[in-house]
Amino acid sequence: AQKVTQAQTEISVVEKEDVTLDCVYETRDTTYYLFWYKQPPSGELVFLIRRNSFDEQNEISGRYSWNFQKSTSSFNFTITASQVVDSAVYFCALSEGTDSWGKFQFGAGTQVVVTP
Amino acid sequence: KAGVTQTPRYLIKTRGQQVTLSCSPISGHRSVSWYQQTPGQGLQFLFEYFSETQRNKGNFPGRFSGRQFSNSRSEMNVSTLELGDSALYLCASSTGVSRAYQAFFGQGTRLTVV
């Protein structure tokens, strides 16, 4: 069963618009970590943000912000005032379980296209 | 600080051959994980090595194997290649001592099996 669901396949916006990416996860663990990664055309996954299951405080980091809600198992990510360089595939990932060191479960990814 | 280095970047192999991919983690990192990325299956976890020991393994056939050396560099091997093994193989480096720390990924090796 898919543990991380990113329902949006592709989002297209015009530069300076805000973009919100949805992520819904499934876990039975009480301790887990959630991540957002960005994959530009070069291929490597670039770390963006991390949140642990005990910290539901939502924060803003530059143009990035996130909304973590355990009650709905959602971990949404927003890019404010998008730029062309934000065009990439964005992955939500879950790390759970005491025997799952180094193992991320990724969602299918959301392609973000920002046009000038 | 140097990032994660994967070699080679591109490979073309024939069905039935075997291939070895290499990953050099960030200095000081003891954990290396491998992922396969395909358009159909997305990003799938292959295995993780920590201090030369396999600590975790995904659901892949035995044709996929790996190892880690004392300097934390890791190799992954795929034997008897199949067309479906064509993918981007990504390696991730982390301290390995806490899941609170993010993994750093290399640019990947793009394997094409013909």
Side-chain angles (χ1 to χ4, degrees):
Chain A
Q2 187 76 359
K3 291 218 168 191
V4 180
T5 302
Q6 294 180 251
Q8 305 149 308
T9 304
E10 180 171 328
I11 298 176
S12 293
V13 296
V14 177
E15 207 169 19
K16 295 184 184 175
E17 289 184 340
D18 296 348
V19 180
T20 295
L21 308 178
D22 299 334
C23 173
V24 174
Y25 62 93
E26 178 188 333
T27 181
R28 294 181 179 179
D29 286 2
T30 54
T31 303
Y32 52 90
Y33 293 83
L34 294 161
F35 301 79
W36 276 97
Y37 278 87
K38 168 184 176 180
Q39 186 176 42
S42 59
E44 68 187 287
L45 289 167
V46 178
F47 167 78
L48 296 175
I49 58 174
R50 169 187 63 240
R51 181 58 64 196
N52 72 54
S53 54
F54 294 105
D55 185 359
E56 286 192 76
Q57 182 177 356
N58 296 312
E59 295 184 19
I60 297 173
S61 174
R63 295 188 299 111
Y64 300 150
S65 63
W66 51 95
N67 187 336
F68 174 35
Q69 292 191 345
K70 287 176 70 172
S71 61
T72 56
S73 296
S74 66
F75 185 50
N76 298 337
F77 175 69
T78 297
I79 305 171
T80 302
S82 60
Q83 301 174 2
V84 173
V85 293
D86 295 326
S87 296
V89 182
Y90 289 78
F91 292 94
C92 178
L94 167 69
S95 176
E96 59 170 354
T98 55
D99 62 345
S100 297
W101 294 87
K103 177 181 178 180
F104 291 90
Q105 297 179 78
F106 288 90
T110 299
Q111 173 80 57
V112 172
V113 179
V114 182
T115 53
Chain B
K1 187 164 167 180
V4 181
T5 303
Q6 290 189 246
T7 56
R9 291 290 313 279
Y10 303 92
L11 265 179
I12 299 176
K13 289 286 188 178
T14 304
R15 265 185 306 177
Q17 287 186 314
Q18 76 163 9
V19 67
T20 299
L21 313 181
S22 178
C23 173
S24 293
I26 290 170
S27 177
H29 284 189
R30 292 158 63 190
S31 167
V32 173
S33 299
W34 289 89
Y35 291 82
Q36 181 195 65
Q37 185 177 23
T38 60
Q41 299 298 318
L43 279 155
Q44 292 186 287
F45 173 77
L46 281 156
F47 31 64
E48 185 220 0
Y49 285 87
F50 178 77
S51 292
E52 302 178 66
T53 301
Q54 187 182 86
R55 187 158 66 173
N56 210 342
K57 189 178 188 309
N59 296 323
F60 277 81
R63 300 185 296 107
F64 291 82
S65 63
R67 60 178 175 169
Q68 186 179 34
F69 302 96
S70 58
N71 62 358
S72 293
R73 188 178 72 86
S74 176
E75 287 182 347
M76 90 163 244
N77 183 275
V78 188
S79 62
T80 319
L81 283 165
E82 301 176 359
L83 295 179
D85 297 332
S86 294
L88 179 66
Y89 290 88
L90 291 163
C91 120
S93 158
S94 67
T95 62
V97 297
S98 170
R99 289 186 291 129
Y101 297 106
Q102 71 270 26
F104 296 86
F105 285 79
Q107 289 190 299
T109 294
R110 186 164 295 281
L111 172 66
T112 302
V113 182
V114 298

